[in-house]
Short mmCIF file of all heavy atoms in Angstrom, two decimals:
data_model
loop_
_atom_site.label_atom_id
_atom_site.label_comp_id
_atom_site.label_asym_id
_atom_site.label_seq_id
_atom_site.Cartn_x
_atom_site.Cartn_y
_atom_site.Cartn_z
N MET N 1 31.55 -72.47 24.85
CA MET N 1 30.21 -72.99 24.79
C MET N 1 29.23 -71.85 24.28
O MET N 1 29.45 -70.62 24.79
CB MET N 1 29.71 -73.48 26.04
CG MET N 1 28.33 -74.10 26.10
SD MET N 1 27.89 -74.93 27.56
CE MET N 1 27.19 -73.63 28.47
N ILE N 2 28.36 -72.15 23.40
CA ILE N 2 27.34 -71.14 22.94
C ILE N 2 26.08 -71.40 23.85
O ILE N 2 25.64 -72.36 23.94
CB ILE N 2 27.03 -71.41 21.45
CG1 ILE N 2 28.27 -71.15 20.73
CG2 ILE N 2 25.96 -70.46 21.02
CD1 ILE N 2 28.18 -71.53 19.21
N ASP N 3 25.63 -70.19 24.46
CA ASP N 3 24.64 -70.20 25.30
C ASP N 3 23.32 -69.46 24.69
O ASP N 3 23.22 -68.24 24.84
CB ASP N 3 24.97 -69.56 26.67
CG ASP N 3 24.03 -69.96 27.81
OD1 ASP N 3 23.03 -70.59 27.61
OD2 ASP N 3 24.46 -69.63 28.97
N VAL N 4 22.49 -70.15 23.97
CA VAL N 4 21.34 -69.60 23.38
C VAL N 4 20.26 -69.33 24.51
O VAL N 4 19.91 -70.12 25.24
CB VAL N 4 20.69 -70.48 22.35
CG1 VAL N 4 19.42 -69.89 21.68
CG2 VAL N 4 21.74 -70.76 21.22
N ARG N 5 19.70 -68.13 24.59
CA ARG N 5 18.81 -67.76 25.57
C ARG N 5 17.29 -67.55 25.05
O ARG N 5 16.38 -67.58 25.85
CB ARG N 5 19.23 -66.50 26.37
CG ARG N 5 20.32 -66.69 27.20
CD ARG N 5 20.03 -67.70 28.19
NE ARG N 5 21.21 -68.08 28.99
CZ ARG N 5 21.11 -68.64 30.24
NH1 ARG N 5 19.99 -68.83 30.74
NH2 ARG N 5 22.24 -68.86 30.87
N ARG N 6 17.25 -67.30 23.77
CA ARG N 6 15.89 -66.96 23.19
C ARG N 6 15.92 -67.40 21.77
O ARG N 6 16.98 -67.22 21.03
CB ARG N 6 15.61 -65.51 23.30
CG ARG N 6 14.32 -65.03 22.75
CD ARG N 6 14.10 -63.60 23.08
NE ARG N 6 12.87 -63.17 22.38
CZ ARG N 6 12.62 -61.86 22.07
NH1 ARG N 6 13.60 -61.03 22.30
NH2 ARG N 6 11.49 -61.62 21.45
N VAL N 7 14.87 -68.03 21.29
CA VAL N 7 14.69 -68.48 19.95
C VAL N 7 13.38 -67.88 19.40
O VAL N 7 12.34 -68.00 20.10
CB VAL N 7 14.59 -70.05 19.83
CG1 VAL N 7 14.48 -70.45 18.40
CG2 VAL N 7 15.87 -70.58 20.42
N ARG N 8 13.44 -67.14 18.18
CA ARG N 8 12.24 -66.69 17.68
C ARG N 8 12.26 -67.24 16.23
O ARG N 8 13.13 -67.07 15.42
CB ARG N 8 12.25 -65.21 17.57
CG ARG N 8 10.92 -64.66 16.93
CD ARG N 8 10.41 -63.41 17.33
NE ARG N 8 9.09 -63.15 16.85
CZ ARG N 8 8.81 -61.85 16.48
NH1 ARG N 8 9.54 -60.87 16.56
NH2 ARG N 8 7.60 -61.74 15.88
N ILE N 9 11.12 -67.84 15.85
CA ILE N 9 10.91 -68.38 14.57
C ILE N 9 9.62 -67.88 13.89
O ILE N 9 8.67 -67.83 14.53
CB ILE N 9 10.86 -70.00 14.62
CG1 ILE N 9 11.89 -70.49 15.33
CG2 ILE N 9 10.62 -70.57 13.18
CD1 ILE N 9 11.75 -71.92 15.79
N MET N 10 9.86 -67.46 12.60
CA MET N 10 8.63 -66.88 11.93
C MET N 10 8.49 -67.56 10.59
O MET N 10 9.50 -67.59 9.79
CB MET N 10 8.87 -65.32 11.77
CG MET N 10 8.80 -64.55 13.10
SD MET N 10 10.20 -63.30 13.33
CE MET N 10 11.66 -64.07 12.70
N ASN N 11 7.33 -68.00 10.33
CA ASN N 11 6.93 -68.52 8.91
C ASN N 11 7.73 -69.68 8.51
O ASN N 11 8.08 -69.83 7.44
CB ASN N 11 6.87 -67.41 7.91
CG ASN N 11 5.84 -66.43 8.20
OD1 ASN N 11 4.79 -66.63 8.77
ND2 ASN N 11 6.21 -65.10 7.96
N MET N 12 8.01 -70.62 9.41
CA MET N 12 8.85 -71.89 8.91
C MET N 12 7.90 -73.08 9.29
O MET N 12 7.39 -73.21 10.39
CB MET N 12 10.07 -71.93 9.72
CG MET N 12 11.19 -71.10 9.36
SD MET N 12 12.69 -71.41 10.17
CE MET N 12 13.08 -73.06 9.68
N GLY N 13 7.85 -73.93 8.31
CA GLY N 13 7.05 -75.11 8.56
C GLY N 13 5.66 -74.79 8.85
O GLY N 13 4.93 -74.10 8.29
N THR N 14 5.21 -75.44 10.12
CA THR N 14 3.88 -75.08 10.59
C THR N 14 3.83 -73.91 11.56
O THR N 14 2.81 -73.55 12.08
CB THR N 14 3.33 -76.34 11.30
OG1 THR N 14 4.15 -76.73 12.34
CG2 THR N 14 3.10 -77.55 10.39
N VAL N 15 4.99 -73.35 11.81
CA VAL N 15 5.11 -72.20 12.78
C VAL N 15 4.84 -70.90 12.11
O VAL N 15 5.45 -70.53 11.04
CB VAL N 15 6.53 -72.16 13.38
CG1 VAL N 15 6.73 -70.99 14.24
CG2 VAL N 15 6.77 -73.40 14.21
N ARG N 16 3.82 -70.15 12.59
CA ARG N 16 3.64 -68.77 12.17
C ARG N 16 4.54 -67.80 12.79
O ARG N 16 5.22 -66.97 12.36
CB ARG N 16 2.21 -68.34 12.33
CG ARG N 16 1.91 -66.91 11.86
CD ARG N 16 0.48 -66.46 11.99
NE ARG N 16 -0.40 -67.42 11.26
CZ ARG N 16 -0.80 -67.39 10.10
NH1 ARG N 16 -0.23 -66.49 9.25
NH2 ARG N 16 -1.67 -68.28 9.57
N ASP N 17 4.57 -67.88 14.15
CA ASP N 17 5.39 -67.09 15.01
C ASP N 17 5.48 -67.63 16.38
O ASP N 17 4.46 -67.82 16.99
CB ASP N 17 4.83 -65.58 15.06
CG ASP N 17 5.76 -64.58 15.76
OD1 ASP N 17 6.91 -64.99 16.08
OD2 ASP N 17 5.41 -63.44 15.92
N ILE N 18 6.81 -67.96 16.73
CA ILE N 18 6.97 -68.55 18.17
C ILE N 18 8.14 -67.89 18.78
O ILE N 18 9.12 -67.64 18.02
CB ILE N 18 7.15 -70.16 18.03
CG1 ILE N 18 7.05 -70.65 19.36
CG2 ILE N 18 8.33 -70.51 17.34
CD1 ILE N 18 6.92 -72.23 19.40
N ASP N 19 8.15 -67.60 20.04
CA ASP N 19 9.16 -66.94 20.72
C ASP N 19 9.35 -67.67 22.00
O ASP N 19 8.56 -67.71 22.88
CB ASP N 19 8.65 -65.47 21.05
CG ASP N 19 9.82 -64.57 21.45
OD1 ASP N 19 10.91 -65.11 21.77
OD2 ASP N 19 9.65 -63.30 21.46
N LEU N 20 10.50 -68.40 22.08
CA LEU N 20 10.76 -69.31 23.24
C LEU N 20 12.02 -68.64 24.04
O LEU N 20 13.00 -68.22 23.55
CB LEU N 20 11.33 -70.62 22.81
CG LEU N 20 10.27 -71.45 21.95
CD1 LEU N 20 11.04 -72.65 21.35
CD2 LEU N 20 9.11 -71.79 22.77
N THR N 21 11.85 -68.62 25.37
CA THR N 21 12.94 -68.20 26.30
C THR N 21 13.45 -69.48 26.85
O THR N 21 12.79 -70.32 27.32
CB THR N 21 12.39 -67.36 27.36
OG1 THR N 21 11.85 -66.13 26.79
CG2 THR N 21 13.50 -66.93 28.33
N ILE N 22 14.80 -69.60 26.77
CA ILE N 22 15.50 -70.77 27.31
C ILE N 22 16.29 -70.37 28.47
O ILE N 22 17.18 -69.55 28.37
CB ILE N 22 16.43 -71.47 26.17
CG1 ILE N 22 15.57 -71.77 24.99
CG2 ILE N 22 17.14 -72.56 26.81
CD1 ILE N 22 16.47 -72.14 23.79
N ASP N 23 15.77 -70.73 29.64
CA ASP N 23 16.33 -70.19 30.82
C ASP N 23 16.84 -71.31 31.84
O ASP N 23 17.09 -71.18 33.03
CB ASP N 23 15.43 -69.31 31.66
CG ASP N 23 14.12 -69.98 31.98
OD1 ASP N 23 13.89 -71.21 31.62
OD2 ASP N 23 13.27 -69.30 32.65
N LYS N 24 17.02 -72.53 31.29
CA LYS N 24 17.49 -73.69 32.04
C LYS N 24 18.64 -74.27 31.24
O LYS N 24 18.81 -74.11 30.07
CB LYS N 24 16.40 -74.78 32.16
CG LYS N 24 15.11 -74.25 32.77
CD LYS N 24 15.12 -74.00 34.20
CE LYS N 24 13.88 -73.54 34.79
NZ LYS N 24 13.93 -72.68 35.92
N PRO N 25 19.55 -75.08 31.93
CA PRO N 25 20.68 -75.58 31.29
C PRO N 25 20.33 -76.76 30.39
O PRO N 25 21.14 -77.02 29.60
CB PRO N 25 21.59 -76.07 32.46
CG PRO N 25 20.66 -76.20 33.61
CD PRO N 25 19.56 -75.23 33.43
N LEU N 26 19.22 -77.32 30.47
CA LEU N 26 18.74 -78.36 29.60
C LEU N 26 17.28 -78.17 29.20
O LEU N 26 16.43 -77.87 30.08
CB LEU N 26 18.77 -79.71 30.33
CG LEU N 26 18.35 -80.95 29.52
CD1 LEU N 26 19.17 -81.23 28.32
CD2 LEU N 26 18.31 -82.15 30.44
N SER N 27 16.96 -78.17 27.91
CA SER N 27 15.62 -77.97 27.47
C SER N 27 15.24 -79.20 26.64
O SER N 27 15.99 -79.75 25.80
CB SER N 27 15.59 -76.79 26.46
OG SER N 27 15.85 -75.59 27.21
N LEU N 28 13.96 -79.61 26.93
CA LEU N 28 13.43 -80.80 26.24
C LEU N 28 12.15 -80.38 25.45
O LEU N 28 11.38 -79.62 26.00
CB LEU N 28 13.05 -81.92 27.20
CG LEU N 28 14.20 -82.50 28.11
CD1 LEU N 28 13.55 -83.53 29.10
CD2 LEU N 28 15.10 -83.17 27.28
N PHE N 29 12.02 -80.80 24.25
CA PHE N 29 10.84 -80.50 23.44
C PHE N 29 10.12 -81.93 23.30
O PHE N 29 10.59 -82.79 22.78
CB PHE N 29 11.18 -79.95 22.17
CG PHE N 29 12.02 -78.70 22.20
CD1 PHE N 29 13.34 -78.66 21.87
CD2 PHE N 29 11.32 -77.50 22.50
CE1 PHE N 29 14.05 -77.45 21.96
CE2 PHE N 29 12.05 -76.36 22.60
CZ PHE N 29 13.38 -76.25 22.30
N TYR N 30 8.87 -81.90 23.73
CA TYR N 30 8.13 -83.16 23.64
C TYR N 30 6.64 -82.83 23.37
O TYR N 30 6.17 -81.74 23.65
CB TYR N 30 8.28 -84.00 24.95
CG TYR N 30 7.59 -83.40 26.08
CD1 TYR N 30 6.18 -83.65 26.55
CD2 TYR N 30 8.26 -82.44 27.00
CE1 TYR N 30 5.68 -83.04 27.62
CE2 TYR N 30 7.77 -81.90 28.00
CZ TYR N 30 6.39 -82.14 28.31
OH TYR N 30 5.84 -81.61 29.43
N GLY N 31 5.92 -83.76 22.83
CA GLY N 31 4.52 -83.53 22.54
C GLY N 31 4.07 -84.43 21.41
O GLY N 31 4.82 -85.21 20.82
N ASP N 32 2.78 -84.21 21.04
CA ASP N 32 2.26 -84.99 19.92
C ASP N 32 2.79 -84.64 18.63
O ASP N 32 3.59 -83.55 18.51
CB ASP N 32 0.79 -84.91 19.83
CG ASP N 32 -0.01 -85.50 21.06
OD1 ASP N 32 0.54 -86.44 21.69
OD2 ASP N 32 -1.07 -85.05 21.49
N GLY N 33 2.54 -85.30 17.60
CA GLY N 33 2.97 -84.97 16.23
C GLY N 33 2.48 -83.65 15.75
O GLY N 33 1.38 -83.20 16.24
N ARG N 34 3.29 -83.10 14.87
CA ARG N 34 2.94 -81.69 14.32
C ARG N 34 2.72 -80.58 15.36
O ARG N 34 1.86 -79.77 15.22
CB ARG N 34 1.68 -81.86 13.41
CG ARG N 34 1.90 -82.90 12.27
CD ARG N 34 1.04 -82.70 11.08
NE ARG N 34 0.86 -81.39 10.55
CZ ARG N 34 1.61 -80.79 9.70
NH1 ARG N 34 2.65 -81.38 9.21
NH2 ARG N 34 1.35 -79.56 9.25
N GLN N 35 3.62 -80.62 16.39
CA GLN N 35 3.53 -79.59 17.38
C GLN N 35 4.76 -78.66 17.29
O GLN N 35 5.04 -77.99 18.30
CB GLN N 35 3.46 -80.29 18.86
CG GLN N 35 2.23 -81.09 19.06
CD GLN N 35 0.98 -80.25 18.94
OE1 GLN N 35 0.83 -79.25 19.60
NE2 GLN N 35 -0.06 -80.72 18.24
N CYS N 36 5.47 -78.72 16.23
CA CYS N 36 6.69 -77.81 15.92
C CYS N 36 7.99 -78.32 16.59
O CYS N 36 8.96 -77.47 16.60
CB CYS N 36 6.36 -76.47 16.33
SG CYS N 36 4.90 -75.80 15.53
N LYS N 37 8.07 -79.39 17.14
CA LYS N 37 9.35 -79.81 17.80
C LYS N 37 10.56 -79.88 16.87
O LYS N 37 11.68 -79.21 17.02
CB LYS N 37 9.21 -81.14 18.52
CG LYS N 37 8.11 -81.22 19.55
CD LYS N 37 7.94 -82.59 20.12
CE LYS N 37 7.63 -83.65 19.10
NZ LYS N 37 6.31 -83.61 18.52
N THR N 38 10.29 -80.49 15.74
CA THR N 38 11.35 -80.63 14.74
C THR N 38 11.67 -79.26 14.05
O THR N 38 12.81 -78.93 13.81
CB THR N 38 11.00 -81.67 13.69
OG1 THR N 38 10.75 -82.94 14.35
CG2 THR N 38 12.07 -81.86 12.63
N THR N 39 10.73 -78.48 13.79
CA THR N 39 10.86 -77.13 13.27
C THR N 39 11.76 -76.35 14.16
O THR N 39 12.69 -75.60 13.65
CB THR N 39 9.54 -76.53 13.11
OG1 THR N 39 8.77 -77.32 12.13
CG2 THR N 39 9.76 -75.10 12.36
N ILE N 40 11.50 -76.37 15.48
CA ILE N 40 12.38 -75.56 16.43
C ILE N 40 13.92 -76.04 16.31
O ILE N 40 14.76 -75.18 16.20
CB ILE N 40 11.86 -75.75 17.84
CG1 ILE N 40 10.44 -75.12 17.98
CG2 ILE N 40 12.83 -75.26 18.89
CD1 ILE N 40 9.76 -75.42 19.23
N VAL N 41 14.06 -77.37 16.39
CA VAL N 41 15.41 -77.88 16.28
C VAL N 41 16.11 -77.50 14.91
O VAL N 41 17.29 -77.03 14.90
CB VAL N 41 15.54 -79.38 16.56
CG1 VAL N 41 16.75 -79.98 16.39
CG2 VAL N 41 15.04 -79.65 18.01
N ASN N 42 15.26 -77.73 13.82
CA ASN N 42 15.87 -77.42 12.51
C ASN N 42 16.16 -75.84 12.41
O ASN N 42 17.14 -75.53 11.76
CB ASN N 42 14.92 -77.83 11.37
CG ASN N 42 14.96 -79.29 11.20
OD1 ASN N 42 15.92 -80.03 11.58
ND2 ASN N 42 13.88 -79.85 10.64
N ALA N 43 15.37 -75.03 12.87
CA ALA N 43 15.53 -73.52 12.85
C ALA N 43 16.86 -73.15 13.61
O ALA N 43 17.65 -72.46 13.02
CB ALA N 43 14.36 -72.84 13.49
N ILE N 44 17.19 -73.80 14.71
CA ILE N 44 18.41 -73.49 15.47
C ILE N 44 19.62 -74.08 14.60
O ILE N 44 20.60 -73.25 14.39
CB ILE N 44 18.39 -74.22 16.77
CG1 ILE N 44 17.30 -73.49 17.71
CG2 ILE N 44 19.78 -74.10 17.40
CD1 ILE N 44 17.10 -74.20 18.96
N LYS N 45 19.42 -75.17 13.96
CA LYS N 45 20.55 -75.73 13.08
C LYS N 45 20.75 -74.75 11.97
O LYS N 45 21.93 -74.51 11.58
CB LYS N 45 20.16 -77.13 12.71
CG LYS N 45 21.16 -77.80 11.82
CD LYS N 45 20.81 -79.19 11.49
CE LYS N 45 19.71 -79.15 10.42
NZ LYS N 45 19.35 -80.55 9.76
N LEU N 46 19.61 -74.27 11.33
CA LEU N 46 19.82 -73.38 10.18
C LEU N 46 20.44 -72.18 10.56
O LEU N 46 21.16 -71.55 9.78
CB LEU N 46 18.40 -73.24 9.53
CG LEU N 46 17.77 -74.43 8.82
CD1 LEU N 46 16.32 -74.12 8.56
CD2 LEU N 46 18.55 -74.90 7.61
N ALA N 47 20.11 -71.62 11.69
CA ALA N 47 20.68 -70.39 12.16
C ALA N 47 22.24 -70.46 12.31
O ALA N 47 22.95 -69.41 12.18
CB ALA N 47 20.08 -69.97 13.48
N PHE N 48 22.71 -71.63 12.49
CA PHE N 48 24.14 -71.80 12.57
C PHE N 48 24.85 -72.19 11.33
O PHE N 48 25.91 -72.75 11.33
CB PHE N 48 24.46 -72.86 13.76
CG PHE N 48 24.39 -72.27 15.11
CD1 PHE N 48 23.27 -72.52 15.92
CD2 PHE N 48 25.37 -71.56 15.65
CE1 PHE N 48 23.14 -72.07 17.13
CE2 PHE N 48 25.26 -71.08 16.90
CZ PHE N 48 24.22 -71.27 17.71
N GLY N 49 24.12 -71.89 10.21
CA GLY N 49 24.73 -72.15 8.87
C GLY N 49 24.28 -73.32 8.12
O GLY N 49 24.91 -73.59 7.04
N GLY N 50 23.25 -74.08 8.47
CA GLY N 50 22.80 -75.13 7.67
C GLY N 50 22.14 -74.52 6.34
O GLY N 50 21.74 -73.33 6.36
N ALA N 51 21.85 -75.32 5.44
CA ALA N 51 21.27 -74.98 4.18
C ALA N 51 19.77 -74.66 4.46
O ALA N 51 19.05 -75.47 5.13
CB ALA N 51 21.41 -76.09 3.17
N PHE N 52 19.25 -73.61 3.95
CA PHE N 52 17.91 -73.17 4.09
C PHE N 52 17.04 -73.51 2.87
O PHE N 52 17.01 -72.81 1.89
CB PHE N 52 17.86 -71.64 4.31
CG PHE N 52 16.60 -71.14 5.13
CD1 PHE N 52 16.56 -70.95 6.34
CD2 PHE N 52 15.49 -70.91 4.34
CE1 PHE N 52 15.49 -70.42 7.02
CE2 PHE N 52 14.28 -70.51 4.89
CZ PHE N 52 14.23 -70.17 6.28
N PRO N 53 16.52 -74.79 2.96
CA PRO N 53 15.68 -75.18 1.74
C PRO N 53 14.42 -74.23 1.57
O PRO N 53 13.77 -73.80 2.50
CB PRO N 53 15.16 -76.53 2.14
CG PRO N 53 15.26 -76.66 3.61
CD PRO N 53 16.28 -75.59 4.07
N PRO N 54 14.13 -73.93 0.33
CA PRO N 54 13.08 -72.98 -0.03
C PRO N 54 11.65 -73.50 0.35
O PRO N 54 10.74 -72.79 0.66
CB PRO N 54 13.12 -72.81 -1.53
CG PRO N 54 13.91 -73.93 -2.05
CD PRO N 54 14.80 -74.34 -0.88
N ASP N 55 11.57 -74.85 0.50
CA ASP N 55 10.21 -75.36 0.91
C ASP N 55 9.96 -75.47 2.41
O ASP N 55 8.90 -75.80 2.84
CB ASP N 55 10.04 -76.88 0.35
CG ASP N 55 11.02 -77.82 0.97
OD1 ASP N 55 12.08 -77.37 1.50
OD2 ASP N 55 10.68 -78.98 0.75
N ILE N 56 10.87 -74.89 3.16
CA ILE N 56 10.67 -74.72 4.62
C ILE N 56 9.79 -73.49 4.93
O ILE N 56 9.22 -73.47 6.07
CB ILE N 56 11.96 -74.66 5.30
CG1 ILE N 56 11.81 -74.84 6.85
CG2 ILE N 56 12.69 -73.36 5.18
CD1 ILE N 56 11.57 -76.32 7.21
N ILE N 57 9.63 -72.58 4.00
CA ILE N 57 8.81 -71.40 4.31
C ILE N 57 7.42 -71.79 4.30
O ILE N 57 6.90 -72.53 3.44
CB ILE N 57 9.17 -70.35 3.21
CG1 ILE N 57 10.53 -69.87 3.29
CG2 ILE N 57 8.16 -69.19 3.48
CD1 ILE N 57 10.91 -68.93 2.21
N ARG N 58 6.66 -71.29 5.41
CA ARG N 58 5.27 -71.54 5.56
C ARG N 58 4.46 -71.37 4.32
O ARG N 58 4.61 -70.28 3.66
CB ARG N 58 4.80 -70.66 6.76
CG ARG N 58 3.33 -71.00 7.20
CD ARG N 58 3.04 -70.15 8.40
NE ARG N 58 1.66 -70.05 8.68
CZ ARG N 58 1.03 -71.07 9.42
NH1 ARG N 58 1.74 -71.97 9.99
NH2 ARG N 58 -0.22 -70.85 9.65
N HIS N 59 3.47 -72.25 4.00
CA HIS N 59 2.68 -72.19 2.88
C HIS N 59 1.95 -70.79 2.80
O HIS N 59 1.31 -70.36 3.75
CB HIS N 59 1.68 -73.31 2.91
CG HIS N 59 0.76 -73.30 1.65
ND1 HIS N 59 1.28 -73.59 0.38
CD2 HIS N 59 -0.52 -72.91 1.44
CE1 HIS N 59 0.24 -73.53 -0.41
NE2 HIS N 59 -0.84 -73.08 0.14
N GLY N 60 2.01 -70.13 1.64
CA GLY N 60 1.27 -68.82 1.47
C GLY N 60 2.23 -67.64 1.93
O GLY N 60 1.76 -66.50 1.76
N GLU N 61 3.40 -67.92 2.47
CA GLU N 61 4.29 -66.68 2.90
C GLU N 61 5.41 -66.64 1.95
O GLU N 61 5.70 -67.58 1.13
CB GLU N 61 4.76 -66.97 4.25
CG GLU N 61 3.71 -67.11 5.33
CD GLU N 61 2.93 -65.84 5.58
OE1 GLU N 61 3.52 -64.78 5.22
OE2 GLU N 61 1.85 -65.88 6.06
N THR N 62 6.01 -65.50 1.83
CA THR N 62 7.17 -65.31 0.93
C THR N 62 8.49 -65.16 1.76
O THR N 62 9.51 -65.22 1.17
CB THR N 62 7.01 -64.11 0.13
OG1 THR N 62 6.83 -62.93 0.85
CG2 THR N 62 5.77 -64.25 -0.83
N LYS N 63 8.43 -64.90 3.06
CA LYS N 63 9.67 -64.71 3.93
C LYS N 63 9.50 -65.47 5.15
O LYS N 63 8.50 -65.87 5.62
CB LYS N 63 9.85 -63.22 4.27
CG LYS N 63 10.07 -62.31 3.16
CD LYS N 63 10.25 -60.91 3.59
CE LYS N 63 10.42 -60.00 2.38
NZ LYS N 63 10.56 -58.59 2.89
N ALA N 64 10.68 -65.88 5.71
CA ALA N 64 10.78 -66.62 6.97
C ALA N 64 11.92 -66.06 7.78
O ALA N 64 12.82 -65.41 7.12
CB ALA N 64 10.89 -68.18 6.77
N GLY N 65 11.95 -66.19 8.99
CA GLY N 65 13.10 -65.69 9.81
C GLY N 65 13.35 -66.54 10.98
O GLY N 65 12.46 -67.16 11.59
N ILE N 66 14.65 -66.45 11.45
CA ILE N 66 15.03 -67.15 12.67
C ILE N 66 15.88 -66.12 13.41
O ILE N 66 16.79 -65.43 12.84
CB ILE N 66 15.98 -68.34 12.39
CG1 ILE N 66 15.28 -69.35 11.51
CG2 ILE N 66 16.36 -68.97 13.64
CD1 ILE N 66 16.20 -70.24 10.82
N ARG N 67 15.64 -65.92 14.72
CA ARG N 67 16.49 -65.03 15.51
C ARG N 67 16.92 -65.79 16.79
O ARG N 67 16.11 -66.39 17.47
CB ARG N 67 15.60 -63.80 15.90
CG ARG N 67 16.45 -62.95 16.91
CD ARG N 67 15.69 -61.73 17.32
NE ARG N 67 16.47 -61.08 18.31
CZ ARG N 67 16.31 -59.80 18.65
NH1 ARG N 67 15.40 -59.03 18.07
NH2 ARG N 67 16.95 -59.33 19.59
N LEU N 68 18.25 -65.73 17.10
CA LEU N 68 18.68 -66.38 18.25
C LEU N 68 19.28 -65.29 19.12
O LEU N 68 20.09 -64.49 18.57
CB LEU N 68 19.81 -67.41 17.98
CG LEU N 68 19.31 -68.63 17.12
CD1 LEU N 68 20.58 -69.55 16.87
CD2 LEU N 68 18.16 -69.30 17.71
N ASP N 69 19.03 -65.21 20.42
CA ASP N 69 19.66 -64.36 21.36
C ASP N 69 20.52 -65.17 22.20
O ASP N 69 20.09 -66.25 22.69
CB ASP N 69 18.61 -63.58 22.13
CG ASP N 69 17.88 -62.49 21.35
OD1 ASP N 69 18.30 -62.24 20.18
OD2 ASP N 69 16.81 -62.15 21.87
N PHE N 70 21.72 -64.69 22.51
CA PHE N 70 22.66 -65.42 23.27
C PHE N 70 22.91 -64.72 24.75
O PHE N 70 22.68 -63.56 24.85
CB PHE N 70 24.02 -65.48 22.64
CG PHE N 70 23.92 -66.11 21.29
CD1 PHE N 70 23.64 -65.42 20.08
CD2 PHE N 70 24.00 -67.53 21.18
CE1 PHE N 70 23.56 -66.01 18.89
CE2 PHE N 70 23.87 -68.18 19.97
CZ PHE N 70 23.68 -67.40 18.70
N LEU N 71 23.41 -65.49 25.62
CA LEU N 71 23.84 -65.00 27.01
C LEU N 71 24.92 -64.02 26.67
O LEU N 71 25.94 -64.34 26.06
CB LEU N 71 24.22 -66.08 27.95
CG LEU N 71 24.70 -65.61 29.27
CD1 LEU N 71 23.52 -64.99 29.93
CD2 LEU N 71 25.15 -66.88 30.10
N ASP N 72 24.87 -62.88 27.24
CA ASP N 72 25.96 -61.89 27.06
C ASP N 72 26.90 -61.97 28.31
O ASP N 72 26.64 -61.49 29.29
CB ASP N 72 25.44 -60.51 27.01
CG ASP N 72 26.46 -59.39 26.61
OD1 ASP N 72 27.58 -59.82 26.39
OD2 ASP N 72 26.08 -58.26 26.79
N ASP N 73 28.01 -62.66 28.06
CA ASP N 73 29.02 -62.79 29.18
C ASP N 73 30.01 -61.58 29.09
O ASP N 73 31.05 -61.63 28.64
CB ASP N 73 29.78 -64.14 29.09
CG ASP N 73 29.00 -65.23 29.60
OD1 ASP N 73 27.91 -65.11 30.19
OD2 ASP N 73 29.33 -66.49 29.26
#
């Protein structure tokens, strides 16, 4: 099992910079529209080898990044 403990997303979709700590066995993302829920899920998917479409980079930026930190067993 892969245990992601931290997600950092920079310049993707509507996200400029977000740093999430995941410290529970189950995480739910909920909220109104355009609150970055889908961007967070897509970023995790992309970090595991999904195709990175060029239009995902935040408007006006030239670079984007995703960082995942894992539990060190």
Side-chain angles (χ1 to χ4, degrees):
M1 181 170 91
I2 298 173
D3 199 349
V4 177
R5 290 301 176 156
R6 183 175 171 205
V7 178
R8 180 150 187 221
I9 305 166
M10 293 132 320
N11 296 326
M12 284 187 62
T14 59
V15 173
R16 179 177 306 277
D17 189 6
I18 191 169
D19 195 344
L20 302 171
T21 300
I22 302 171
D23 59 356
K24 305 289 184 209
L26 175 66
S27 295
L28 302 174
F29 300 106
Y30 66 94
D32 294 332
R34 302 202 44 88
Q35 298 295 315
C36 307
K37 300 175 302 289
T38 302
T39 302
I40 293 167
V41 173
N42 284 340
I44 294 169
K45 181 176 76 172
L46 292 170
F48 282 100
F52 200 99
D55 64 341
I56 195 74
I57 297 175
R58 185 178 168 84
H59 180 72
E61 301 293 339
T62 58
K63 296 180 181 179
I66 305 161
R67 176 182 170 156
L68 301 180
D69 292 344
F70 301 92
L71 179 64
D72 185 13
D73 283 348

